Amino acid sequence: MFSKMATYLTGELTATSEDYKLLENMNKLTSLKYLEMKDIAINISRNLKDLNQKYAELQPYLDQINAIEEQVAALEQAAYKLDAYSKKLEAKYKKLEKR
């Protein structure tokens, strides 16, 4: 009976020991994955800083583009008004010619 109890306890302790070894291996793998994720996060942060710096360098040019776009829109409106005015003048001139 003592030998069966010893065998049973040995089996239980072996299973528990194997569970702890598995848990230890899982912890090691998790730690490695977190280190990889840390490296990825560092690279993303570095790239984001580079992109922000490049955007800041481009900002004056983007502001110029916006200003030019506004000027083009204003010029386009002026051209439409000038076209409408010239059509009115043409219509008046044609009326005067008919008289």
Side-chain angles (χ1 to χ4, degrees), residues 1 3 5 9-10 36 38 44-47 51 58 64-66 70 76 79 82-83 87-88 92:
M1 181 169 130
S3 67
M5 183 61 108
L9 289 175
T10 302
E36 288 176 14
K38 176 187 161 197
I44 289 172
S45 175
R46 186 178 306 124
N47 290 338
L51 284 174
L58 286 175
Q64 287 178 356
I65 290 171
N66 288 337
E70 290 172 5
E76 185 179 20
L82 183 60
D83 185 47
K87 286 179 182 178
K88 284 181 183 179
K92 273 187 177 182

Side-chain angles (χ1 to χ4, degrees), residues 2-98:
F2 285 116
S3 67
K4 288 185 181 181
M5 183 61 108
T7 304
Y8 171 75
L9 289 175
T10 302
E12 285 293 315
L13 291 174
T14 302
T16 303
S17 175
E18 292 297 321
D19 287 346
Y20 279 118
K21 286 180 184 176
L22 177 62
L23 189 59
E24 182 181 6
N25 287 338
M26 289 172 61
N27 282 340
K28 286 179 183 177
L29 287 173
T30 302
S31 175
L32 290 174
K33 285 292 181 184
Y34 277 120
L35 285 175
E36 288 176 14
M37 290 170 58
K38 176 187 161 197
D39 291 340
I40 291 170
I42 288 171
N43 286 334
I44 289 172
S45 175
R46 186 178 306 124
N47 290 338
L48 184 60
K49 286 179 184 176
D50 290 343
L51 284 174
N52 283 336
Q53 181 182 0
K54 288 177 183 176
Y55 180 77
E57 290 172 2
L58 286 175
Q59 190 60 48
Y61 300 109
L62 296 173
D63 292 340
Q64 287 178 356
I65 290 171
N66 288 337
I68 290 170
E69 184 179 7
E70 290 172 5
Q71 291 172 355
V72 167
L75 185 60
E76 185 179 20
Q77 288 301 317
Y80 285 137
K81 288 179 182 178
L82 183 60
D83 185 47
Y85 181 71
S86 66
K87 286 179 182 178
K88 284 181 183 179
L89 282 179
E90 183 180 1
K92 273 187 177 182
Y93 180 71
K94 284 184 180 180
K95 282 183 182 180
L96 290 176
E97 277 185 347
K98 287 182 180 180

